[in-house]
Amino acid sequence: AIFTLFALLMFECTVANNRLRGLQRLRGTLRHAYHVRCFRHNQWTVALTSELLPGDVVSMRAVSMADETHVPADMLVLGGGTAVVDEALLTGESTPQLKSPIDSGGSSGSSGLLDLQEHKTSILFGGTMLVSQDSSVTVGTAAA
């Protein structure tokens, strides 16, 4: 009975510790703003990620990949290459996911709208970590 109590106590401590570490990682994703190239008002400018607006087109090639970079907002991969994203913070999946540009060849369904299930391989979710990318990945920020 004492062993069972000890095992249960250790299990609960491990679960609590994992939740605290997950919360600390989540808080850390929202703090650091960095510079990206942004297409706004028909010209490319440099903007902080905290200043991005819905509808902005962002070039991820300007992002330094010295370490993993947090995706600042929900974004759609428009073209230029692929990206590898660690979505473990949101989904719990241990394997990074390959994201490719959205197919502009008309496979977006009969309504022409973005579908979360159909286009999940083209969506970068805010707070996830960009592990690697092609040099010319271009993404658009989500519309409000």
Side-chain angles (χ1 to χ4, degrees):
I2 292 176
F3 177 74
T4 304
L5 179 64
F6 178 73
L8 185 60
L9 182 64
M10 291 303 295
F11 175 74
E12 290 298 326
C13 289
T14 303
V15 169
N17 188 28
N18 286 340
R19 286 185 182 176
L20 285 174
R21 281 192 287 146
L23 285 173
Q24 288 171 346
R25 273 186 71 192
L26 183 60
R27 285 188 194 119
T29 62
L30 303 176
R31 291 185 188 160
H32 308 291
Y34 53 92
H35 292 287
V36 292
R37 288 182 38 87
C38 169
F39 190 76
R40 188 184 294 169
H41 305 298
N42 293 325
Q43 64 182 2
W44 285 99
T45 60
V46 176
L48 281 172
T49 54
S50 59
E51 299 170 349
L52 290 177
L53 300 173
D56 283 345
V57 175
V58 178
S59 173
M60 297 303 284
R61 84 176 91 195
V63 176
S64 169
M65 293 305 295
D67 56 349
E68 295 174 337
T69 304
H70 297 286
V71 177
D74 291 343
M75 298 181 168
L76 182 64
V77 180
L78 298 176
T82 59
V84 178
V85 181
D86 182 5
E87 297 179 343
L89 195 60
L90 295 179
T91 63
E93 295 179 13
S94 60
T95 307
Q97 302 297 309
L98 178 67
K99 302 293 183 169
S100 57
I102 190 165
D103 183 19
S104 60
S107 68
S108 58
S110 59
S111 65
L113 298 175
L114 182 68
D115 180 36
L116 185 61
Q117 291 299 320
E118 184 178 344
H119 300 108
K120 66 182 176 182
T121 59
S122 298
I123 298 173
L124 303 177
F125 295 102
T128 58
M129 295 197 314
L130 189 61
V131 178
S132 70
Q133 64 184 2
D134 288 348
S135 62
S136 58
V137 172
T138 303
V139 295
T141 57

